[in-house]
């Protein structure tokens, strides 16, 4: 049995702000349990819902030197769907209404604490990881501490580490002096070949330098991040480590996202009967959101964090033009004020055509995946993207920009060969996007049989974890080697 410990800042079903939580919550369930025991370690944020907190049991606690203080570290545990979870508890560190405060300094303190506490807790777990799998900048210090600070204890001597990049844009960058102070790491670590980057300290970079292997969440993104445009200043390092860098595309949880048994939708359906049943969900959603109740109108959905990553500048630019067409647009998301206001404005201007839902809602997200005809995701960059996979699974045709995981998972429609699962465009250009949406409208309205065949192909595509989990297993096997 090989033991893997995921250390991450969010994970379904405990806490979620985006796709990282979906991956952390679903991948461990899907590995081969005969050979791998994957457990997950998360912060015990005070904002975790009470019913999930009620599932946690106190295990033990200790005190740890951190940032000139002696800090309390509680360990709690829980088991959900056959996966064992550990939680690091310290109410001062993990307070607040959200996992990330948005204040970089505060977040660096929080996750430096988490990274050190996570490793310090391992000897008390009755679980000896052969490999630590870290996710994003929040856990970038783990490989650093592991290699440089924990080697005196034989338990850690052979432990391997993997760093997975879910989003290179966020790196945990701050002034070197402060970060030295917070982490207790000496000046030796803050040079350009280690944690320093453009004169700042950079936590993700630490992880990328010290981890035994690096992965990211699609093949295309693995290539893109070696170029200046997508590399966010780390393309040089990623090129240098390209031998240790691989792309493994994400899957989604096929039990949680299953139109045939989704509790949130009024009319469950399958690949066999979507032609008759799916439309009932559309009618119900039109009613619920106060849109014109016309089931013939093409409905386009968006479920997303509202940030510039997701291409909302393109949408803002052509929204007036798009709203002249026979379409309805349903948006669910929260994030940057500028995009929240933009969608609210168009909701006000085109009330019965546009519905802007500026909130976070699991239920409404499922209804949108199930009810819409098309799903729009014109991202500027997209490491993988899970929303388009959810859309495919629900027979909702994705319209995407060809970048990162969107390129790898949505096959463009080819009307001559009758192939493809969605629509895509290449350049980050608003009118190229609009032309692609209009092409989709044309197929939807004029060639419904072709449209439905595209749904058949999309629903038949397999984006469960099945294939990708085995790629992670191969990598774990390769890094850990044979166990005595
Ligand atoms: P990212 O991780 O960059 O946000 P992904 O497409 O990988 O993008 O994952 C986004 C996940 O978050 C999906 O599960 C999506 O349904 C969910 N999501 C995003 N915004 C909301 C929202 N406002 N309400 C409910 N779920 C949301
Ligand atoms: C990030 C990326 C998204 C990816 C998710 C899970 O949030 O923005 O593309 O799907 O992580 O890996």
């Amino acid at each position: 049995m090989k033991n893997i410990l995921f250390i991450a800042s969010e994970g379904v079903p405990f806490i979620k702000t985006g796709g990282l939580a979906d991956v952390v919550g679903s991948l461990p369930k899907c590995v081969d349990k005969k050979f791998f025991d994957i457990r997950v370690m998360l912060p015990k944020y005070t904002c975790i819902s009470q019913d999930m907190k009620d599932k946690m049991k106190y295990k033990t606690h200790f005190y740890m030197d951190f940032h000139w203080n002696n800090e309390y570290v509680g360990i709690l545990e829980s088991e959900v769907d056959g996966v064992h979870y550990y939680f690091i508890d310290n109410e001062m560190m993990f307070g607040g209404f959200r996992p990330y405060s948005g204040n970089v300094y505060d977040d660096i303190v929080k996750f430096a604490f988490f990274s050190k506490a996570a490793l310090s807790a391992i000897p008390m777990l009755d679980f000896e990881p052969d490999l630590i799998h870290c996710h994003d900048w929040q856990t970038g210090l783990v490989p650093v501490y592991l290699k440089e600070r924990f080697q005196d204890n034989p338990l850690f001597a052979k432990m391997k580490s993997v760093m997975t990049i879910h989003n290179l844009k966020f790196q945990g960058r701050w002034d070197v002096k402060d970060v030295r102070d917070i982490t207790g790491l000496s000046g030796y670590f803050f040079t350009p070949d280690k944690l320093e980057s453009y004169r700042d300290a950079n936590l993700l970079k630490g992880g990328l330098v010290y981890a035994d292997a690096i992965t990211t969440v699609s093949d295309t993104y693995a290539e893109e991040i070696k170029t200046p445009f997508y590399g966010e200043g780390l393309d040089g390092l990623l090129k240098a480590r390209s031998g240790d860098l691989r792309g493994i595309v994400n899957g989604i949880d096929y039990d949680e996202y299953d139109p045939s048994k989704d509790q949130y939708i009024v009319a469950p359906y399958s690949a066999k009967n979507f032609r008759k049943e799916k439309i009932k969900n559309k009618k119900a959603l039109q009613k619920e959101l106060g849109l014109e109740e016309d089931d013939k109108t093409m409905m386009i959905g968006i479920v997303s964090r509202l940030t510039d990553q997701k291409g909302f500048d393109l949408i803002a630019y052509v929204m007036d033009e798009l709203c002249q067409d026979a379409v309805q647009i349903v948006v669910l998301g929260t994030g940057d004020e500028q995009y929240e206001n933009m969608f609210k404005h168009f909701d006000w201007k085109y009330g019965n055509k546009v519905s802007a839902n500026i909130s976070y809602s699991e239920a409404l997200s499922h209804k949108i995946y199930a009810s819409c005809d098309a799903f729009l995701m014109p991202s500027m960059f997209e490491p993988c993207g899970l929303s388009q996979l959810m859309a495919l699974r629900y027979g909702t045709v994705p319209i995407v920009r060809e970048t990162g995981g969107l390129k790898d998972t949505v096959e463009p429609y080819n009307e001559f060969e009758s192939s493809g699962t969605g629509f895509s465009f290449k350049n980050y250009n608003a009118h190229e996007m609009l032309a692609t949406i209009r092409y989709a409208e044309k197929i939807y309205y004029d060639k419904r049989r072709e449209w439905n065949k595209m749904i058949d192909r999309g629903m038949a595509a397999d984006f469960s974890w099945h294939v990708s989990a085995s790629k992670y297993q191969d990598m774990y096997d390769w890094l850990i080697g044979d166990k005595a």
Side-chain angles (χ1 to χ4, degrees):
M1 182 66 77
K2 287 172 179 155
N3 294 336
I4 316 290
L5 182 66
F6 273 33
I7 304 183
S9 58
E10 52 181 284
V12 168
F14 293 95
I15 184 89
K16 167 169 166 178
T17 73
L20 168 61
D22 289 309
V23 173
V24 168
S26 54
L27 172 56
K29 283 199 260 183
C30 300
V31 294
D32 192 337
K33 299 260 169 58
K34 280 205 297 289
F35 301 105
F36 295 92
D37 184 353
I38 303 195
R39 303 192 180 189
V40 180
M41 187 174 271
L42 301 169
K44 179 178 175 273
Y45 300 105
T46 52
C47 63
I48 291 177
S49 69
Q50 192 55 46
D51 58 323
M52 293 319 289
K53 280 187 196 150
D54 291 342
K55 294 192 198 305
M56 303 174 189
K57 273 208 208 73
Y58 169 86
K59 187 173 174 66
T60 183
H61 75 271
F62 61 95
Y63 285 84
M64 177 183 88
D65 286 336
F66 178 78
H67 203 191
W68 309 109
N69 287 316
N70 199 244
E71 292 280 356
Y72 172 86
V73 182
I75 308 176
L76 292 87
E77 58 188 341
S78 182
E79 199 168 314
V80 180
D81 286 342
V83 177
H84 203 106
Y85 289 85
Y86 298 104
F87 301 89
I88 298 294
D89 184 23
N90 178 312
E91 293 205 348
M92 283 289 284
M93 290 288 173
F94 303 127
F97 298 111
R98 290 183 302 253
Y100 318 121
S101 70
N103 174 316
V104 182
Y105 177 84
D106 290 348
D107 285 346
I108 285 179
V109 172
K110 180 187 311 191
F111 292 109
F113 170 79
F114 176 56
S115 298
K116 189 172 179 190
L119 286 173
S120 307
I122 288 174
M124 289 158 226
L125 299 185
D126 318 312
F127 176 70
E128 292 186 12
D130 299 296
L131 184 146
I132 313 269
H133 192 153
C134 307
H135 300 267
D136 274 355
W137 78 265
Q138 293 88 346
T139 54
L141 282 173
V142 171
V144 184
Y145 281 133
L146 175 63
K147 280 262 169 61
E148 298 284 344
R149 283 299 160 91
F150 283 77
Q151 291 297 312
D152 294 346
N153 184 338
L155 181 62
F156 293 95
K158 284 205 319 216
M159 218 178 273
K160 303 286 184 202
S161 62
V162 172
M163 188 80 227
T164 292
I165 302 168
H166 295 265
N167 195 332
L168 197 56
K169 176 127 190 183
F170 304 105
Q171 301 181 356
R173 277 174 68 171
W174 195 257
D175 176 66
V176 170
K177 200 168 142 289
D178 287 342
V179 174
R180 276 186 61 176
D181 213 42
I182 298 164
T183 58
L185 293 168
S186 68
Y188 163 83
F189 291 93
F190 296 91
T191 55
D193 58 332
K194 301 189 193 72
L195 270 72
E196 188 199 309
S197 143
Y198 304 96
R199 297 188 179 273
D200 278 334
N202 183 320
L203 270 52
L204 177 66
K205 185 175 179 192
L208 297 176
V209 169
Y210 279 89
D212 295 295
I214 303 169
T215 74
T216 187
V217 288
S218 68
D219 282 320
T220 294
Y221 195 60
E223 291 307 314
E224 286 173 340
I225 56 179
K226 288 182 251 173
T227 66
F229 181 80
Y230 292 99
E232 304 286 348
L234 294 177
D235 41 301
L237 168 62
L238 291 161
K239 257 204 302 243
R241 290 217 65 185
S242 61
D244 305 310
L245 165 67
R246 67 182 85 188
I248 303 178
V249 73
N250 287 331
I252 55 170
D253 188 328
Y254 263 35
D255 289 327
E256 203 184 324
Y257 294 94
D258 180 351
S260 72
K261 50 176 204 230
D262 192 320
Q263 303 292 325
Y264 293 119
I265 66 178
V266 293
Y269 58 94
S270 66
K272 284 208 187 74
N273 66 7
F274 76 85
R275 285 173 175 78
K276 268 180 48 202
E277 298 300 312
K278 187 171 158 59
I279 205 163
K280 296 180 184 165
N281 294 299
K282 177 156 135 186
K283 284 186 191 161
L285 191 63
Q286 285 174 331
K287 193 167 186 163
E288 181 181 334
L289 300 179
L291 291 165
E292 191 187 344
E293 291 177 45
D294 175 0
D295 57 31
K296 297 219 165 39
T297 306
M298 177 169 166
M299 188 190 262
I300 303 175
I302 294 173
V303 177
S304 182
R305 290 183 295 118
L306 301 181
T307 70
D308 53 1
Q309 170 190 342
K310 304 289 179 178
F312 293 116
D313 292 328
L314 301 188
I315 296 178
Y317 199 71
V318 295
M319 191 71 174
D320 271 314
E321 280 178 79
L322 180 59
C323 287
Q324 308 311 313
D325 296 1
V327 293
Q328 292 184 340
I329 298 163
V330 178
V331 181
L332 171 65
T334 60
D336 296 356
E337 231 184 336
Q338 131 192 44
Y339 301 122
E340 294 189 349
N341 290 339
M342 184 266 287
F343 283 121
K344 280 190 215 157
H345 168 77
F346 287 111
D347 182 323
W348 165 79
K349 193 165 175 188
Y350 301 101
N352 61 351
K353 292 187 99 169
V354 177
S355 169
N357 303 274
I358 307 302
S359 62
Y360 185 92
S361 162
E362 209 62 55
L364 185 54
S365 74
H366 283 244
K367 288 180 196 170
I368 293 175
Y369 292 123
S371 309
C372 289
D373 299 295
F375 189 85
L376 181 60
M377 214 166 158
S379 307
M380 176 151 50
F381 69 94
E382 197 59 76
C384 178
L386 300 173
S387 293
Q388 83 280 11
L389 303 181
M390 293 160 187
L392 285 167
R393 173 101 167 121
Y394 280 76
T396 301
V397 176
I399 302 174
V400 303
R401 189 170 93 83
E402 290 160 19
T403 183
L406 297 174
K407 187 172 176 195
D408 295 350
T409 57
V410 177
E411 190 196 334
Y413 173 58
N414 180 324
E415 63 179 274
F416 306 104
E417 292 170 4
S418 195
S419 64
T421 55
F423 295 87
S424 64
F425 62 99
K426 197 164 167 29
N427 294 300
Y428 193 71
N429 174 300
H431 280 99
E432 210 172 307
M433 176 188 75
L434 184 62
T436 308
I437 298 174
R438 289 189 163 154
Y439 178 44
E441 288 172 29
K442 197 163 138 340
I443 305 299
Y444 176 82
Y445 283 114
D446 300 345
K447 296 192 173 173
R448 185 59 63 86
R449 285 193 61 194
E450 279 294 300
W451 181 272
N452 283 338
K453 281 198 260 168
M454 188 154 28
I455 297 180
D456 284 332
R457 292 189 292 272
M459 290 185 86
D462 183 1
F463 291 106
S464 67
W465 273 106
H466 187 68
V467 177
S468 294
S470 71
K471 291 190 181 164
Y472 279 107
Q473 290 176 191
D474 291 346
M475 177 183 66
Y476 297 148
D477 276 332
W478 169 69
L479 285 167
I480 296 168
D482 288 333
K483 276 180 82 176

